Amino acid sequence: MTDAAALLSDLVAFPSVCRTPNGAIVEWVHDILARHGVEAHVLPGPEGDRANLFATIGPRDVPGIVLSGHLDVVPAGEGWSGDPFALRAIGDRLVGRGAVDMKGFVACLLALVPEMVRAPLARPIHLALSYDEEVGCVGVRHMIARLPELCATPEACIVGEPSEMRPVLRHKGKVAGRLTVRGRAGHSSRPDLADNAVHLAADIVGLVRGLHEGFSRQGPFHPLFEPAASTLQVGIIAGGTGVNVVPDTCRIEWEARAVPGTDPMTIHDALQAGIETLVAPLRAAGRTVAVESEVLSLYPALDLPDDAPLRGLAEAWSGREALGAVSYGTEAGLFQAAGIPSIICGPGRIAEAHRPDESIGRADLEECCAMLRRIIGHHSRK
């Protein structure tokens, strides 16, 4: 195994599933950096049992580059041919939960730390490792908020999500929410004396479909995306206890993906306005109905201009031509929103993520390490 592959084996062994404590993996990374003389800041989140980690190699007082990854993984689920948290080789591929999304990139970062430390860096390289990316880019928000006290404003950020080492310029933004529809229970023989929460929820699902169809017809459109417009859909609906009981509660979980230039929260607000239009006359008529709303995740789109200097640099470092857009989302939009030009570029294929027997190729790790060496050279004194 290469150093990166050995480090990946150690990383995969931590079952750092999103929404669970991550102290063990953060401490392990902190200890590795400390052994190479790198000071790392452990930045606890408000949850109290999870933390980000931020480290700088090179001078802190000049702009540098952020290399960003997340330490959490999605739950393993069923269908694995072996232990998902024990990295194993199948041919030239390394299999384990998080191998490609995105502990492979983190392993490459850690493998190159000795070379970063030895290099005469004129501009710093920052390592930014976050928690709970998989549930809406939760942790990185707290880390970005603290960047002004940790370093000079970075001049660029690379988020190492799997992109087959092609720099990616754009992705859609996202907002997801939960609606709890309240009614009044009753016997199904007298529905006139009750308020059916499932029926009201069905009307709300109709609102969701109508908004989605409006985007499909009217845009705004972005030709690099498939589909080219923003989208809105219901993923979960659940309510009721029996066919002879008028249900008093129904839960809806929905998601919107917004093209660059559209704030995802404007879609949320449009849905809320539609719900109020539905509910207000029912309340005015004395019906016992209410809809509670909660935002589950939110992040902005990434939209790096075609002529941005970072595009040319990333193409030179990766040796690959940039890709205009991808359908998945990342933390890059949040770095961009903080004024840091950002791009996606990392090893492996996104199609391998979030599935049983998730894997990354040994060659993918080597290619990523080669890119990181070019970044080290670019940031070193000539």
Side-chain angles (χ1 to χ4, degrees), residues 39-122:
E39 180 185 6
H41 299 272
V42 175
L43 308 172
E47 301 83 2
D49 61 359
R50 275 153 275 177
N52 300 300
L53 184 144
F54 185 87
T56 297
I57 303 172
R60 295 177 180 274
D61 57 348
V62 295
I65 189 168
V66 175
L67 303 176
S68 171
H70 61 83
L71 295 172
D72 63 304
V73 298
V74 296
E78 302 295 329
W80 288 78
S81 62
D83 183 350
F85 297 108
L87 192 73
R88 63 192 189 281
I90 299 179
D92 65 350
R93 302 198 67 78
L94 303 171
V95 179
R97 174 54 86 219
V100 72
D101 186 15
M102 59 181 299
K103 290 179 176 179
F105 180 72
V106 176
C108 292
L109 292 182
L110 297 177
L112 269 292
V113 164
E115 295 182 34
M116 295 178 193
V117 170
R118 290 194 299 268
L121 294 174

Side-chain angles (χ1 to χ4, degrees), residues 286-311:
R287 309 310 296 251
T288 306
V289 295
V291 181
E292 300 162 8
S293 179
E294 177 186 1
V295 173
L296 300 177
S297 64
L298 173 68
Y299 57 77
L302 172 68
D303 191 13
L304 188 72
D306 288 329
D307 60 353
L310 180 57
R311 172 186 179 164

Side-chain angles (χ1 to χ4, degrees), residues 55-211:
T56 297
I57 303 172
R60 295 177 180 274
D61 57 348
V62 295
I65 189 168
V66 175
L67 303 176
S68 171
H70 61 83
L71 295 172
D72 63 304
V73 298
V74 296
E78 302 295 329
W80 288 78
S81 62
D83 183 350
F85 297 108
L87 192 73
R88 63 192 189 281
I90 299 179
D92 65 350
R93 302 198 67 78
L94 303 171
V95 179
R97 174 54 86 219
V100 72
D101 186 15
M102 59 181 299
K103 290 179 176 179
F105 180 72
V106 176
C108 292
L109 292 182
L110 297 177
L112 269 292
V113 164
E115 295 182 34
M116 295 178 193
V117 170
R118 290 194 299 268
L121 294 174
R123 286 167 291 167
I125 295 174
H126 308 290
L127 310 184
L129 305 180
S130 65
Y131 70 89
D132 281 4
E133 186 273 349
E134 295 290 6
V135 288
C137 302
V138 174
V140 74
R141 301 168 190 274
H142 309 300
M143 180 160 48
I144 290 173
R146 295 190 61 179
L147 285 183
E149 68 188 73
L150 297 171
C151 63
T153 302
E155 60 187 359
C157 174
I158 293 178
V159 175
E161 291 279 5
S163 68
E164 300 180 68
M165 296 307 299
R166 290 190 67 181
V168 176
L169 307 182
R170 300 172 187 87
H171 65 64
K172 290 182 179 180
K174 174 182 171 178
V175 60
R178 177 186 295 125
L179 301 169
T180 303
V181 183
R182 306 286 186 188
R184 180 171 53 177
H187 196 284
S188 62
S189 66
R190 290 299 307 271
D192 55 312
L193 299 179
D195 292 300
N196 193 311
V198 169
H199 288 183
L200 179 53
D203 291 338
I204 293 171
V205 172
L207 283 176
V208 170
R209 290 187 63 183
L211 286 169

Side-chain angles (χ1 to χ4, degrees), residues 30-39 110-111 113-115 117-118:
H30 184 276
D31 288 348
I32 285 179
L33 295 173
R35 288 202 296 270
H36 295 290
V38 177
E39 180 185 6
L110 297 177
V113 164
E115 295 182 34
V117 170
R118 290 194 299 268

Side-chain angles (χ1 to χ4, degrees), residues 212-239:
H212 171 79
E213 290 166 3
F215 296 142
S216 298
R217 291 191 307 267
Q218 301 166 16
F221 301 103
H222 197 301
L224 292 178
F225 288 94
E226 294 182 1
S230 299
T231 59
L232 183 61
Q233 65 123 17
V234 169
I236 297 174
I237 183 167

